[in-house]
Amino acid sequence: MAGELFARRDLAQAGKVGLGTGLGLLAAALAKVVLAFLMIATFLAFCFAS
């Protein structure tokens, strides 16, 4: 947000960019956690199915 504010000098636009960036990072972190649990569940399913 600080970089966008420095480059464009528009607080509203910088806020939107900061919010979008934060939401994107949060969504990516959540997706990584979900994928990790899916990989663990798949591994355990194969271990106990044999």
Side-chain angles (χ1 to χ4, degrees):
M1 188 168 133
E4 185 70 21
L5 183 58
F6 181 73
R8 302 218 193 277
R9 304 280 184 202
D10 183 14
L11 185 59
Q13 181 65 22
K16 288 180 186 178
V17 170
L19 181 63
T21 301
L23 289 176
L25 288 172
L26 185 64
L30 182 63
K32 287 173 81 170
V33 169
V34 167
L35 287 173
F37 278 113
L38 285 174
M39 287 188 288
I40 292 168
T42 303
F43 174 75
L44 291 175
F46 276 107
C47 283
F48 291 122
S50 299

